[in-house]
Amino acid sequence: MADHPSGNRSEGEPREEWRTRWGFLFAAVGSAVGLGNMWRFSYLAAEKGGAGFVALYLLFTILLGLPVMLAELTIGRGARRGPISALAHYGGQGWRWLGAIFVAAGFLILSYYGVIGGWTLRYAVEAATIGFAPDAGAHFGDVASGFDSLGTQILFMIITIAVVSGGIGAGIERLARIAMPGLFLIMIGIALYAATLEGASDGYAYYLNFDLEKALAIDVVVAAAGQAFFSLSLGMGAILTFASYLPRDSDVARETAVISFADFGVAFVAGLMVFPLIFALGMQGEISGGTIGALFVALPKAFESMGGAGRIVGGAFFVALVVGALTSAISLLEVIVSAAMDAFGWERRRAALVGGVAVTLAGVWPAFRIDILDLADSVATNLFLVGGGLGIAIFVGWVMDDPIAEASVGSARSGVHTVWRILLRYVVPITLIFILWNSLPETWAKIVGVFGSG
Ligand code: TRP
């Protein structure tokens, strides 16, 4: 194998694999389920008017998410390489750039994701030790940006690097198998508890009463599509990379369905805990602005006003958030790590350390400036993920040789595959070009807002 010139990784070493099917599924669902489902989903649902946004998000999960997920799983499992070499494997060297954009997107997302992950870590620890601050807004202002934020970001990244260094089976899979069932139980428990609160029904009404007019605003459409990609971890090769450790006979069509519906289910349940809690405790004013801090201000306020029960429920809530954030951050770092292992022949530990430290350094900026964090999130989602999804759809729909044959290894070739190809060739690209085009003004406005018009 001449493509490992530095020879750090011994030649012919077998590729790592998931130990069990369930281990893979928990890890992939762990990647998908994260801050996107809880923090990002709830603040967008609040900002974009509730149920209309939720309905569009479900529509895009099915129409765009399912086909792109199957495309990523197919490429990854077939190529058994990280994103850059996987695209070269099926499309020729000229396609490496798309893989490089994926790795850059992962780098960008993880740089600010680690900052938010750090916030969740702090809130979980505070709930267990000193309780929620009486003035949640001021507290968030104190800890969200600056050295506090940097400190918790570094801590969060150290844990992420440690797990990824452990490898696929012993690190990532082992954590996901314990952590994900715990997260599900906590979320269902809190959603049931929230249902018992007086005034919860206003929260459900806000969350679930569909208003067609609101849903058809272009900014709602754009946000829902971006959210579908972000939440499913699509558009930058994360699912592709996890699939590269799958055995060849796994059923990628079935796994696509399991991962996507688990992810939507968790986002939906997150809404069932967040909105009733917030409305029952009269905190709706705090989220109506739909700012990045909504979850970190409105919910702690609600928990604080609940007294002792609030410490327990709130503590459990933030523990679930830490788990979700961590298993997602791991998948983002794994993209960078697998690409570095392929490209430089580095061994895993070295790639995790070098890649992780570089991302942490890039995160200093968003750790100090929340407007930079917000901007990075918009650019990453609306440009990189939506653009990356477009790239994958075109690649598998038009460039790759006989994708249906590859996708149906391990499962029966069926009508589903024909529909899949049509979606990838026409429906997904046209929809994504429309979304991309319409998101440009908003992203541009944010850039101007942060850097000034000069
Ligand atoms: N999906 C995760 C979330 O909802 C975030 C995430 C992990 C992600 N890996 C990704 C987003 C890859 C985009 C691409 O929080």
Side-chain angles (χ1 to χ4, degrees), residues 247-278:
R248 183 140 182 84
D249 60 355
S250 51
D251 185 342
V252 282
R254 183 182 57 179
E255 313 309 34
T256 296
V258 175
I259 299 165
S260 306
F261 286 103
D263 183 64
F264 179 81
V266 171
F268 191 75
V269 173
L272 290 180
M273 53 181 197
V274 169
F275 290 103
L277 268 173
I278 286 177

Side-chain angles (χ1 to χ4, degrees), residues 354-374:
V354 174
V357 168
V359 171
T360 307
L361 287 175
V364 173
W365 207 15
F368 275 85
R369 287 192 43 187
I370 203 162
D371 59 338
I372 295 290
L373 191 158
D374 188 22

Side-chain angles (χ1 to χ4, degrees), residues 375-389:
L375 177 64
D377 183 51
S378 293
V379 169
T381 307
N382 296 331
L383 292 182
F384 279 86
L385 296 184
V386 172

Side-chain angles (χ1 to χ4, degrees), residues 31-32 34-37 109 113 230-231 233-234 236 238 328 331-332 385:
S31 167
L35 295 168
N37 303 61
I109 296 176
Y113 204 89
F230 188 93
S231 184
S233 299
L234 294 177
M236 52 142 284
S328 297
S331 78
L332 287 160
L385 296 184

